[in-house]
Amino acid sequence: MANNTTCPDITKYRCNTGLILPLVSEYTWPEEGRAAIYLIGLLWSFLGVSIIADSFMCAIEKITSKTRKIKVANTGSEEGYDTIEVKVWNNTVANLTLMALGSSAPEILLSSFGIVKTKFEADALGPSTIVGSAAFNLLVIIAVCIFCIPSPETRGIASIKVFCVTSFFSVFAYVWLIIILIGNTPNEVDLWEAIVSLLFFPLLVIIAYVMDKDYCSKKKKIDDSAVELGFADEKRRHTLADGTVDKKAMAEFLKELGKHPELTEEDAAKLAAMRIQETQSHDRLWYRINATRKMTGANKLVPTVNALLHDLYEQSHKRSTPDLRVGSSTSMLSAVDLSENNTRAVIEFTATQCAVLENEKRVRCGIKRTGRKDHQILCRVKTIDGTAEANKDYIPVRQTLVFEPGETLKNLDIEIIDDNEWEPDETFFVQLQIDPEQKAIVGKKSINQVTIINDDEPGTIQFNKPSFLFKESAGKALIPIQRLHGVDGKISVTWKTQDIEAISGRDYEGGEGTITFEHGESTKMLEIQLYDDQDEEKDESFKIELSDPTGNAQLGRIKKTIITIVNDEEFQGMVSRVLQMTNLNIDALRVETATWAEQFQNAMNVNGGDVENATALDYIMHFFTFGFKVIFAMVPPVGIFGGWLSFFIALGMIAILTILIGDLATNFGCLVDLDDAITAITFVALGTSLPDLFASKQAATQEKYADNSIGNVTGSNSVNVFLGLGLPWTIAAIYHSSQGNTFQVPAGDLGFSVILYTIAALLCIGLLFARRYLSIFGKGELGGPMKAKVASSVFLCVLWLLYVVISSLQIRGHITVNLSN
């Protein structure tokens, strides 16, 4: 008998359209499993795009940082002029061209490939992604930037004229879409409309450049030709000469750190590199690259230090902010009154270390207030694990203490867990913090080290070393006196200085006095004033001796110590060593890589090889992105051909990934019965915009002005329309014109989404200008009073949610809006 059964066509099944995907027949695969695979692939591809965009933007950074040498008249120099370097690229032009392309390349390419995929017919995914991404960028990113600035600080737009231009075009671009889709030729785009859309891009760049140069206003003669050449701003912002740090400023920085003798030279070099990175201004690409590397566990552009070293840096930074760059002369060692002549309070611990017996089950840390005392101060305290672990050796504390007017001392009690098991002495730390809006500052003793011990003796008092070296220019010698083998009760000890070569009153401030240890305190610092006579002289010494301990305490083995005051030759040697290490640290933090070997080394190692400072998240993200990192390490280093070779090869790789993202998004939406337009304004828009969110947040908190955080959002949104829609629509319109017909673009879903975005954009920009000029918002686009900034952020986030929800309801047919007529 003949078998009439026909075999099914395994090439025909639901949701299998794409330029590349599916690679194999998925005829027998369950749709639920296919949907899960496509979703995972989509999210994974977003990480891949972020990684290759890193290389792409490094190339753009190399291209736009190109400089040329010019000569500026200077009657004070021997030649009669100074040779200086200025950027070839204007910052505004770079932001609106290559930099905007760097952050928006996936959206622009997705729209372009959508036209090819549909054989030059209208595509829903690309245009909807551009509008959805614009909504997320303008509303959510700005909301986050407003909220992340500590109250009552504010950040404002510096180049307000450029911002006005880009803000106008960010709205006009979408109004233009409404005109051509609904008003002039409904549901179709004529060739001239597409070409004009594309030509708006160079028009935007030209107008923004004119506003940036302020050609339309009467110029003020401020600084000869430097202002006209644009060098004045460059000189202000770029004062590092090939990564070389000013030696004088570094010496002053080290003098301040010299007050913390536990710091090593390596620690000092890391802190110096942090200071340089913080004081140097960065462009938006730098923040975007750093945000991507944080997301993917790659090498960061800022030094990574442990928590205690970071806290020390923050406290020294609050006291003073020296500029370590070339030409800086700010000193951290200047005798600064932290209370500013009693105009603010100074909050600090009474001691930097204390100890407690495990069986006492409680340790008390004293916190004192000096300076201004006539107002209420709130300070936060929290514990940090050392060798002792929270909830195992002690109960962690995170609370707020209140100093009432006139109150100068508070005690913080921390519960110690007695586990009845023998164990060596263990330590943890207690940290003080104060909100910046209060009229107070944390003093030098911002961290208290608590040691849990198993002894109930009053202890033995001694120096921890028989000799100490201090620089003559250090200002003060801080000599630690230790209390060992017990911390029970209150004890004291007498100290006395004795001249050797150094003479009291001439080389140092000698004398005698008493050091008192409260119950539980294990270390005290003896301060001896040093005098810098700035004369060439040999090293000089004096002696300090301990005597007459009280409270049944005993003197230890090291009851005498020799203090040697060394001249600055040794100090300058240390400065040179730290300088060299700092320059190495700065070199390691540069954006670009010099060789393929360096690229593969960074790609194959978590955190770029800095395993010591890698976090658990770094390891996880490195595992998931390892394949992408190795593949994209094949992109040529940016030093070849000025970055242009890397630019085009990275752009090609982004194009391939963008095709994959388009296929993944389309097939995933089909499998879960989600329209392409909804997939675009949710999954795809968020996936392509998250790196920009993290970059803008960091730029908002670190930069002095808001230009790099929100100023570029408006420019990017208009560029997306003019390039992301103008280019593919021009190509499609040319094709249809050659065929004797018109390019059809249904206005329904896209037009409605554009109208919603335009309304939201007008409200958002109106809010930004209100925040700039109204005192209720602090007269700044970002930050301001807590209630005002929270209200602004919530308002913008609600606008974005309404945009997504109402657009989705209209796309699904739950809301009917006729835009065809």
Side-chain angles (χ1 to χ4, degrees), residues 167-180:
S167 296
F168 168 78
F169 274 96
S170 71
V171 176
F172 171 76
Y174 295 88
V175 172
W176 173 249
L177 288 182
I178 297 173
I179 293 173
I180 63 177

Side-chain angles (χ1 to χ4, degrees), residues 631-645:
I631 293 172
F632 297 145
M634 299 178 185
V635 175
V638 298
I640 301 176
F641 298 125
W644 286 106
L645 181 61

Side-chain angles (χ1 to χ4, degrees), residues 645-692:
L645 181 61
S646 175
F647 175 87
F648 287 110
I649 292 180
L651 183 61
M653 291 187 172
I654 292 176
I656 296 173
L657 265 179
T658 301
I659 295 174
L660 284 174
I661 288 175
D663 291 352
L664 289 165
T666 300
N667 289 337
F668 168 73
C670 175
L671 288 166
V672 297
D673 195 25
L674 204 61
D675 298 81
D676 280 353
I678 298 178
T679 305
I681 65 175
T682 52
F683 290 97
V684 183
L686 265 66
T688 55
S689 298
L690 278 179
D692 288 312

